[in-house]
Amino acid sequence: MQSTATTKPTIALRIHLRIPLESLAMFLLKAWRQTAFGVYGYLNFTKSGFLEHSKNFNPEDMTRRIDGKNCIVTGANAGIGYAAAHGLASRGATVYMVCRNKERGEAALSKIQTSTGNQNVHLEVCDLSSVNDVKSLSSRFRAKDVPVHVLVTTKFEISNN
């Protein structure tokens, strides 16, 4: 009996890559870091991460005094920056409000000092979109020789001016 099946042609493909061991190690390290960062973000900064961490939330931590701590808050004349500066000042911290507009900053400063009774609230005028202003602010802080314990930065937009 003779076979009627025909044989199909096959193609064999071989690829030889010559990759230095150092390059392969760097590639694997970068891949590991990106994966670890992604998993960490997923576990901690998603709804499920929030729900898991909220189980350990202690409301008393929000009322604890933080006297003697130096806090810098950007965008502190309005919105979330104002709320952060107000909350820190009400807990006894020394707050440095960084605002772009001097008049609005002074108004916010006065409101915070009046409502919290904390006189250790200071205004620093600085436009964070200006490298020269940021350098000037850092020089002024260095001259004060005070440690920064808390830094709160709020969203700011860089203008093309």
Side-chain angles (χ1 to χ4, degrees):
M1 230 183 187
Q2 195 174 25
S3 172
T4 58
T6 61
T7 59
K8 295 182 181 178
T10 59
I11 298 174
L13 178 63
R14 288 188 184 179
I15 298 175
H16 291 279
L17 296 175
R18 293 180 187 255
I19 301 173
L21 188 57
E22 185 177 296
S23 297
L24 179 62
M26 286 303 296
F27 171 78
L28 292 173
L29 179 63
K30 286 181 182 180
W32 167 253
R33 284 181 181 165
Q34 289 176 342
T35 303
F37 183 74
V39 169
Y40 180 81
Y42 178 77
L43 293 175
N44 292 289
F45 300 106
T46 58
K47 183 177 180 181
S48 61
F50 170 79
L51 293 173
E52 183 62 31
H53 290 291
S54 67
K55 293 174 187 175
N56 299 323
F57 177 72
N58 182 2
E60 293 172 4
D61 290 342
M62 299 303 293
T63 59
R64 188 165 294 160
R65 299 290 298 174
I66 54 174
D67 297 283
K69 299 295 182 188
N70 299 309
C71 308
I72 299 175
V73 182
T74 67
N77 62 304
I80 200 163
Y82 175 83
H86 187 277
L88 292 166
S90 67
R91 293 172 60 195
T94 300
V95 179
Y96 296 92
M97 301 171 51
V98 179
C99 302
R100 181 175 33 203
N101 183 295
K102 183 177 181 180
E103 291 77 28
R104 293 189 341 207
E106 287 173 343
L109 172 73
S110 176
K111 274 195 231 175
I112 289 174
Q113 286 178 333
T114 302
S115 65
T116 64
N118 185 346
Q119 297 304 306
N120 287 327
V121 182
H122 312 281
L123 176 64
E124 295 290 338
V125 178
C126 177
D127 182 358
L128 294 177
S129 66
S130 167
V131 174
N132 289 336
D133 277 9
V134 173
K135 285 181 179 179
S136 174
L137 175 66
S138 67
S139 295
R140 290 194 309 265
F141 251 90
R142 217 172 308 133
K144 292 178 194 227
D145 198 32
V146 294
V148 177
H149 299 107
V150 177
L151 173 63
V152 179
T153 60
T154 58
K155 179 183 176 213
F156 68 94
E157 296 180 16
I158 297 175
S159 64
N160 292 330
N161 301 357

